[in-house]
Amino acid sequence: MSLTSHLQELKRKHEDLSNAVEKAQRSPSIDGLEVSRLKKEKLHLKEEISRLSAV
């Protein structure tokens, strides 16, 4: 997998997580721990994207 395609995949996953976080925050049945977990995963992806983009 090339670096460009890997970055595109990470960006797609980041966008998917953004949508999941928004949906979870609107749902009263989702607990705060799940939202927090999604946000941490999203942040990890953002950091990875930034790290790889700097190469």
Side-chain angles (χ1 to χ4, degrees):
M1 179 182 280
S2 73
L3 180 59
T4 303
S5 62
H6 184 60
L7 278 170
Q8 288 174 342
E9 180 65 18
L10 290 175
K11 288 177 182 180
R12 186 194 59 78
K13 287 181 181 181
H14 185 268
E15 181 65 28
D16 290 347
L17 278 172
S18 290
N19 293 334
V21 167
E22 288 178 27
K23 183 178 179 182
Q25 289 176 325
R26 289 191 305 259
S27 176
S29 63
I30 302 293
D31 66 14
L33 291 175
E34 179 65 15
V35 172
S36 180
R37 185 191 67 77
L38 290 170
K39 285 182 175 182
K40 284 180 184 178
E41 189 175 345
K42 183 181 162 192
L43 178 60
H44 175 74
L45 282 173
K46 182 178 180 182
E47 290 171 346
E48 183 71 6
I49 290 166
S50 294
R51 185 182 70 78
L52 290 174
S53 294
V55 172

